[in-house]
Amino acid sequence: MVGAVAVARVELARMLLVPEETDLGERATELVRSRVRLVDAFEAERKQIERDLHDGAQQRIGALTMTLGLARLDAPPGALADQLAKAHDEAGKALAELRELIQGIHPKVLADFGVGAAVVDAADRSVIPVDVSVDLSGRLPEAVEAAAYFVVCEAPANVAKHSGAQRAEVAGRHADGWLVFDVRDDGCGGADVQRGGGLTGLADRVPVLDGRLTLSSPAGGPTLLRVEIPCVPTEVSV
C-alpha cells in the first residue's frame, strides 16, 4: 500500500511538473527565437540606413564636390577662387567622412560578397599590417556574418589604439557547424572585454546568436581573440 501511494505521488508530481517544464522550455525556445529576430531586424535596419546614405546624401555630396571643383577651375585668381578652393576641399573631406560612416554602418562588400571578402577589405584599410587567412566555402546567415565582421574589425582597431602591436593576424573558417575567427596581435596585452569600449558592445551580440567570444591577453602579450558562432551556410560556392 505504501509503495502504491509513493508511486501515485511520484506520478502526480510528474503530471503536475511536466506541463510547467514544457511551458518553460517553450518560453526559452521563443526567447531565443525573439532574440534572433531582433538581431535580424537590427541588421536589416543597418542595411537600409546604408542604402539611404549611399543613394542619397553621398550622391549629393559627390555631385557638389564635382561642381565646386569645376567652378574652382573656371574662377579667376583672387578671393573667389580661394573660397571655392576651400569649399571644394571641405566638401571632399565631408564625402570621405560620409563614406567611412557608411562603411561602419554596413559595408557594401559585406552585403555583396560576404564576411571573408569584407574582412580582407577591412584589413587592407587597417593602420597596422594585418595578415588574413579565410577559408569559407559560401555565404552564411546575414546576422552571423555581420556579428563576426564587426567583432573581427573592432579587434585590430583596438590593437592600433592601445596595444602598440606592429602586426596582427586574422584567420577564419567554417567547420563542424561553427564559424570561427581568430585575431592575434604581437602587442603588449592586457586587453579586457569587461572594461567597456568597442569590443564590449559588439561582444554582447555574439551570445544572442548562441555564439562565444573568448579573449586571452596576458600582460606582455600576445593577445588572442576568438569568436565562434554556430551556423549553417546559406549558399555554397561551387
Side-chain angles (χ1 to χ4, degrees):
M1 181 68 178
V2 174
V5 171
V7 171
R9 285 181 175 175
V10 171
E11 184 64 17
L12 177 60
R14 186 186 67 80
M15 293 174 63
L16 292 173
L17 290 174
V18 167
E20 183 177 352
E21 292 174 353
T22 302
D23 184 53
L24 288 175
E26 291 176 352
R27 290 181 184 178
T29 300
E30 181 55 32
L31 178 60
V32 171
R33 290 174 178 169
S34 66
R35 290 163 65 190
V36 173
R37 286 195 296 269
L38 284 173
V39 171
D40 289 341
F42 179 67
E43 290 307 322
E45 186 68 20
R46 289 173 68 105
K47 290 174 69 175
Q48 184 60 52
I49 293 172
E50 183 273 333
R51 283 193 295 267
D52 291 344
L53 288 173
H54 180 273
D55 297 339
Q58 179 174 301
Q59 298 296 331
R60 289 180 179 275
I61 295 178
L64 174 62
T65 303
M66 292 182 62
T67 301
L68 288 170
L70 293 173
R72 177 182 180 180
L73 292 174
D74 293 338
L80 176 60
D82 293 341
Q83 290 297 320
L84 285 172
K86 184 180 294 184
H88 181 238
D89 291 341
E90 289 299 318
K93 292 176 182 177
L95 182 59
E97 290 177 1
L98 181 59
R99 284 172 175 163
E100 285 294 321
L101 175 63
I102 293 172
Q103 186 76 12
I105 292 174
H106 196 97
K108 187 169 175 27
V109 65
L110 175 62
D112 291 347
F113 301 105
V115 64
V119 167
V120 171
D121 178 69
D124 289 341
R125 293 181 285 104
S126 174
V127 297
I128 65 169
V130 179
D131 298 322
V132 179
S133 173
V134 179
D135 182 15
L136 298 175
S137 59
R139 297 298 301 271
L140 301 169
E142 289 185 5
V144 171
E145 289 193 332
Y149 170 79
F150 286 111
V151 171
V152 169
C153 287
E154 183 64 27
N158 280 359
V159 167
K161 291 178 184 177
H162 307 298
S163 78
Q166 300 300 308
R167 198 168 199 89
E169 299 177 3
V170 176
R173 63 192 182 280
H174 183 270
D176 300 324
W178 288 80
L179 172 65
V180 181
F181 269 98
D182 291 327
V183 183
R184 294 180 174 84
D185 71 69
D186 59 1
C188 62
D192 186 354
V193 174
Q194 303 303 322
R195 289 180 185 170
L199 271 180
T200 301
L202 294 172
D204 289 341
R205 300 174 61 181
V206 176
V208 173
L209 299 168
D210 289 332
R212 302 186 293 259
L213 188 143
T214 55
L215 177 67
S216 172
S217 186
T223 293
L224 169 62
L225 175 74
R226 170 170 289 184
V227 56
E228 303 169 279
I229 306 175
C231 58
V232 176
T234 57
E235 299 177 14
V236 178
S237 301
V238 179

